[in-house]
């Protein structure tokens, strides 16, 4: 049990370090020659890279941010299947899933509080997308909800919030009755809650009808 606990702590730490390498900050600094926190919305995320540098840079940043978190979660899932309390049966794998979720959680915190960039990072939406892929392909379909809300509202923030709210709900449905069900729901709820909290300023603007609508090729502030 102690060894598995150490492995889980290790996967979280590795996830945090990987998440702390914020590609939005690096691309803006070394290619755009500016501080991402001072342009566009001021957020160190792929959407703001699209706003300030265009889709040719922003889209790859989003894909790579999601990919790196997915790889870390996938490696943790299969390399450190931490069934700490021995609850998994012979055909169950939720202990391994938890290892993957913990690693991605580390990535999310690293994205938000990157140790390599003064602990000032992004909102973690792409990282949350990676969580869905690590969990289950059915849960990964929640990305469709993101795009549906975006097509209707043209607000990345509202789409992100809607998808984040749905994550623990869908996890509860998919993993109902399985070992570690409660732990998975709590972990995903905590991650979704952090992403939603990161959008608190956006929520205020949405409620007041002041949130900017996103359009490719146009620079928006907010």
């Amino acid at each position: 049990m102690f060894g598995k606990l150490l492995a889980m702590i290790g996967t979280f730490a590795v996830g945090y370090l990987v998440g702390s390498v914020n590609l939005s900050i690096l691309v803006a600094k070394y290619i755009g020659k500016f501080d991402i926190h001072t342009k566009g919305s001021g957020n160190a995320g792929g959407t703001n890279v699209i706003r300030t540098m265009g889709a040719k840079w922003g889209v790859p940043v989003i894909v790579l941010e999601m990919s790196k978190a997915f790889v870390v979660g996938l490696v943790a899932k299969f390399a450190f299947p931490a069934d700490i309390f021995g609850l998994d049966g012979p055909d169950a794998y939720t202990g391994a899933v938890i290892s993957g979720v913990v690693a991605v959680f580390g990535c999310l915190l690293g994205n938000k509080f990157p140790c390599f960039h003064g602990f000032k990072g992004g909102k973690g939406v792409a990282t949350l997308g990676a969580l869905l892929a690590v969990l289950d392909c059915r849960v990964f379909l929640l990305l469709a909800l993101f795009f549906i809300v975006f097509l209707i509202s043209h607000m990345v923030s509202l789409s992100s919030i809607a998808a984040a709210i749905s994550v623990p709900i869908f996890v509860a449905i998919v993993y109902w009755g399985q070992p570690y069900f409660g732990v998975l729901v709590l972990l995903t709820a905590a991650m979704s809650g952090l992403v939603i909290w990161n959008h608190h300023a956006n929520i205020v603007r949405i409620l007041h009808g002041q949130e900017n609508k996103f359009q490719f090729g146009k620079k928006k502030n907010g």
Side-chain angles (χ1 to χ4, degrees):
M1 175 179 173
F2 183 70
K4 291 181 177 180
L5 181 59
L6 284 179
M8 186 168 290
I9 293 173
T11 59
F12 178 85
V14 170
Y16 172 77
L17 292 175
V18 171
S20 289
V21 180
N22 189 298
L23 300 178
S24 300
I25 294 175
L26 295 175
V27 167
K29 180 178 180 180
Y30 292 106
I31 298 178
K33 306 300 181 183
F34 65 89
D35 182 354
I36 191 71
H37 297 105
T38 64
K39 295 283 187 76
S41 67
N43 178 55
T47 301
N48 200 28
V49 176
I50 294 176
R51 284 192 178 99
T52 56
M53 297 180 65
K56 70 176 182 178
W57 295 110
V59 172
V61 164
I62 292 173
V63 172
L64 289 173
E65 283 285 359
M66 186 180 295
S67 297
K68 72 178 185 180
F70 172 68
V71 170
V72 169
L74 198 64
V75 170
K77 181 178 177 180
F78 290 103
F80 305 106
D83 178 18
I84 294 180
F85 301 109
L87 297 177
D88 268 350
D91 300 320
Y93 65 100
T94 43
V97 170
I98 285 179
S99 293
V101 171
V102 167
V104 178
F105 202 161
C107 277
L108 180 64
L109 288 179
N111 181 273
K112 175 62 178 175
F113 306 107
C115 61
F116 304 129
H117 306 291
F119 300 97
K120 187 178 180 182
K123 296 179 180 178
V125 177
T127 306
L128 192 65
L131 168 69
L132 304 181
V134 169
L135 279 167
D136 188 287
C137 61
R138 292 166 293 180
V139 182
F140 190 61
L141 291 175
L142 278 177
L143 282 180
L145 175 62
F146 174 95
F147 289 110
I148 290 171
V149 175
F150 176 74
L151 289 174
I152 295 172
S153 68
H154 297 286
M155 298 181 191
V156 175
S157 56
L158 183 60
S159 306
S160 302
I161 293 166
I165 291 173
S166 302
V167 170
I169 297 173
F170 275 76
V171 169
I173 294 172
V174 171
Y175 287 95
W176 176 261
Q178 293 193 35
Y180 297 106
F181 162 79
V183 177
L184 275 174
V185 172
L186 286 175
L187 282 173
T188 53
M191 295 176 71
S192 295
L194 178 59
V195 170
I196 294 169
W197 169 251
N198 291 341
H199 287 84
H200 63 275
N202 303 88
I203 293 172
V204 172
R205 289 196 295 269
I206 291 171
L207 293 176
H208 288 85
Q210 299 172 344
E211 180 71 337
N212 289 318
K213 294 186 178 181
F214 186 85
Q215 294 180 334
F216 283 92
K218 292 188 177 181
K219 295 179 181 180
K220 294 279 188 179
N221 294 321

